[in-house]
Amino acid sequence: MLKSARTILRGIKKNELLLFLIGLNLMLFNFVMVHHTNVAFRQLEFAIMLFTLSYFSGISLGYLFSDRLTEKVIIYLIPLFIVVQLLLIIYIQPLSYIITSVVNERYGGSNLTPELGVVTAYLIIFIILFLGGTSLFSIFLPKIIEAEESNIAKFYSIEVAGSIVGLLLIPILSSISHLLMIALYLVIFIIILLLLTRNKLVLILTIVPSLLFILFFNQLDKKYSGWFYKQWYGEKKIEKVIYTKYSPYQKIEMLQLSKRDKMLVLNGKRQFARGSHYNYSYFIAEYPINFLSNPSVCVLGCGSMSTVGRIGDISSSIDIVDIDEEVFNTSKKYFQKYNRLNKLNNWTFIADDAKHYLANSKKKYDLILHDIPPAYSRQIAMTYTEEFFKVAKSKLNDNGIFSISSLTPLSSRSEYGKRMIATLASVFDHYIILQYRGSAYFYGGNKKFDNISKKVLMEKVNHKGKKKIKFLLKYEIDKIVDGVKIITLDNLGDLIFE
């Protein structure tokens, strides 16, 4: 049994320092694990809920055992816990894939049990995070605080202060280096350990794995991420991950494909590959520009900036707006073939959130391209709402065009595409839709769309898949989305989890 926290710590000053460091360390670890869990599940809200639930469940378990473990047991558990947590950081993505794949093989063949398979897979992952991702601090933290009964409020406030400092450090550290944040987490963990014990074996078993992790993190991260992508995108014949960058917002990866092509991946989701340049970028950017002359353009979201390469020669100016400058830097380096930024001099990059930029900019444009990923998180989903589309519409010049795609077919069982189009139709007065291979490209704002024929629309197409293109005029669109509920800031969840 832990006879007293004083058998571990001597003096209230040491207690205060320990609690402060614990609060700080917990924040750093939580951020790192949420970041990696998000990449594993490719959906931020779900990752946060799953990890938070498992983390606080683990803390409750730790509090349960705080009176039942001896000081010696706790001390010797520390190296085990740190190793498990480091392994989780590296393996959470491939491990989650393996678990879901194995469970799906068991339950996927039955029409009665696919939902049971999903629940089972998530339950297994939850238990792993619950047991391995929690903090060992929760075992002895109650004893430290109970030892100072007269200062409980003070001691809790010290821990909270450490957590606040951790929160303040996160944006600074994440903008410098993700590995630096992990290194600081490990350094603080070792300092805490030194405050608890001078056991050389325990120290060695904690410090050595920590040093090895820091030295080999980049190689291991690329290796096992590459393994995951080979399974997930097997048909693309992915060779390896050639570049990784953790920005404050997401994990940016560049994958090398077998035919000397590359793929941009953001938080585990494919953002751009060669085919996107010839299809998506043409329809979202080059086709609508046919209705304009020497336009000023605003591209919301940069990705590969393939759209810029498509229209750079026929635009007067192009403002590229993205909150994550690291994505811009990555694409500028690896996708010159498609974005041609080195050959163009009429573009400007603006590091800003699309919502903030449009709401505060006084500029108006002839063409606004919505090149933002699908609404997998609340922050992104806000750019698919009625409120956002109204702001975008207000930033168009007379006869300007707002261009956006729905990669979900309007005929799909999912209401995602229909609800997005219904929302756009409720905002814009003039609009058409181009359909190609299940994707719907919405062009709104230009008055010419009111009296234009499908023949004229088709004549402006310069794409090898012309025979597979279908146009929908305003009256046809209105019939399709009649009665469909629009998306607002009040019902974002409907779009995210559709």
Side-chain angles (χ1 to χ4, degrees), residues 150-176:
S150 60
N151 296 300
I152 289 179
K154 175 185 175 181
F155 272 52
Y156 273 118
S157 66
I158 291 172
E159 184 191 0
V160 170
S163 300
I164 293 173
V165 171
L167 288 172
L168 294 175
L169 282 175
I170 284 172
I172 299 172
L173 294 171
S174 60
S175 64
I176 298 173

Side-chain angles (χ1 to χ4, degrees), residues 189-209:
F189 196 104
I190 292 169
I191 293 173
I192 293 171
L193 182 57
L194 287 169
L195 290 173
L196 295 172
T197 183
R198 290 295 189 271
N199 187 306
K200 292 182 180 180
L201 178 60
V202 171
L203 290 170
I204 290 172
L205 292 176
T206 303
I207 294 173
V208 171

Side-chain angles (χ1 to χ4, degrees), residues 80-204:
L80 174 63
F81 265 67
I82 194 67
V83 170
V84 170
Q85 289 177 357
L86 294 179
L87 289 175
L88 275 177
I89 292 174
I90 290 292
Y91 289 108
I92 184 64
Q93 184 182 35
L95 182 63
S96 298
Y97 174 79
I98 291 171
I99 292 171
T100 53
S101 297
V102 170
V103 173
N104 284 337
E105 285 181 9
R106 180 180 178 87
Y107 293 100
S110 171
N111 292 328
L112 299 176
T113 58
E115 292 81 7
L116 178 61
V118 173
V119 172
T120 302
Y122 287 158
L123 180 60
I124 294 171
I125 297 168
F126 163 77
I127 292 172
I128 292 172
L129 289 173
F130 165 45
L131 296 176
T134 190
S135 172
L136 188 63
F137 304 143
S138 60
I139 296 178
F140 60 80
L141 188 59
K143 281 297 180 182
I144 298 173
I145 295 176
E146 287 173 12
E148 304 289 343
E149 293 183 0
S150 60
N151 296 300
I152 289 179
K154 175 185 175 181
F155 272 52
Y156 273 118
S157 66
I158 291 172
E159 184 191 0
V160 170
S163 300
I164 293 173
V165 171
L167 288 172
L168 294 175
L169 282 175
I170 284 172
I172 299 172
L173 294 171
S174 60
S175 64
I176 298 173
S177 169
H178 184 71
L179 186 56
L180 176 62
M181 184 179 301
I182 297 176
L184 181 60
Y185 159 71
L186 292 173
V187 168
I188 296 174
F189 196 104
I190 292 169
I191 293 173
I192 293 171
L193 182 57
L194 287 169
L195 290 173
L196 295 172
T197 183
R198 290 295 189 271
N199 187 306
K200 292 182 180 180
L201 178 60
V202 171
L203 290 170
I204 290 172

Side-chain angles (χ1 to χ4, degrees), residues 287 291 451-461 471:
Y287 180 75
F291 299 91
N451 300 310
I452 202 165
S453 67
K454 292 184 181 181
K455 180 180 178 181
V456 173
L457 290 172
M458 192 65 74
E459 288 173 351
K460 290 183 177 292
V461 175
F471 285 97

Side-chain angles (χ1 to χ4, degrees), residues 485-496:
K485 189 176 181 181
I486 66 174
I487 298 296
T488 68
L489 291 174
D490 295 327
N491 59 10
L492 284 180
D494 295 350
L495 195 64
I496 297 170

Side-chain angles (χ1 to χ4, degrees), residues 58-73:
I59 287 181
S60 299
L61 183 66
Y63 275 41
L64 176 65
F65 283 97
S66 64
D67 289 328
R68 304 181 184 184
L69 298 176
T70 65
E71 175 185 338
K72 185 176 181 180
V73 170

Side-chain angles (χ1 to χ4, degrees), residues 236-404:
K236 299 296 180 182
K237 296 182 179 179
I238 292 167
E239 293 184 350
K240 58 182 178 180
V241 178
I242 59 174
Y243 175 83
T244 300
K245 177 70 176 181
Y246 287 88
S247 77
Y249 309 100
Q250 57 201 335
K251 184 182 184 182
I252 305 163
E253 294 173 287
M254 191 64 63
L255 311 186
Q256 179 67 57
L257 307 184
S258 58
K259 296 182 179 180
R260 295 185 179 180
D261 291 322
K262 297 177 178 64
M263 180 190 294
L264 176 65
V265 177
L266 302 179
N267 271 345
K269 298 185 288 289
R270 180 175 57 187
Q271 177 70 17
F272 177 83
R274 183 172 64 92
S276 302
H277 178 72
Y278 300 108
N279 294 317
Y280 172 84
S281 295
Y282 171 79
F283 292 117
I284 199 74
E286 189 171 335
Y287 180 75
I289 212 170
N290 287 324
F291 299 91
L292 303 166
S293 177
N294 196 33
S296 57
V297 181
C298 178
V299 180
L300 302 176
C302 66
S304 67
M305 294 171 290
S306 169
T307 52
V308 176
R310 279 283 188 180
I311 62 176
D313 295 325
I314 50 179
S315 302
S316 61
S317 65
I318 303 176
D319 288 342
I320 306 165
V321 182
D322 195 288
I323 194 172
D324 196 342
E325 190 169 1
E326 291 300 336
V327 176
F328 170 80
N329 293 333
T330 301
S331 294
K332 185 180 178 183
K333 177 180 179 180
Y334 287 98
F335 288 132
Q336 284 287 348
K337 175 182 177 181
Y338 301 112
N339 57 51
R340 302 188 299 120
L341 293 184
N342 58 338
K343 297 180 180 179
L344 301 170
N345 57 14
N346 59 344
W347 58 268
T348 302
F349 176 74
I350 302 166
D352 198 356
D353 175 69
K355 303 181 298 300
H356 180 268
Y357 175 75
L358 287 187
N360 292 277
S361 175
K362 296 180 180 179
K363 295 181 69 173
K364 289 196 172 186
Y365 298 92
D366 299 309
L367 177 62
I368 297 178
L369 306 180
H370 188 289
D371 195 13
I372 300 172
Y376 292 117
S377 68
R378 179 176 178 82
Q379 189 67 17
I380 294 176
M382 291 174 71
T383 68
Y384 287 85
T385 61
E386 179 187 36
E387 292 85 350
F388 180 80
F389 293 148
K390 285 181 177 179
V391 174
K393 179 184 177 183
S394 71
K395 299 302 178 181
L396 290 174
N397 289 320
D398 292 341
N399 285 325
I401 297 174
F402 179 75
S403 176
I404 186 173

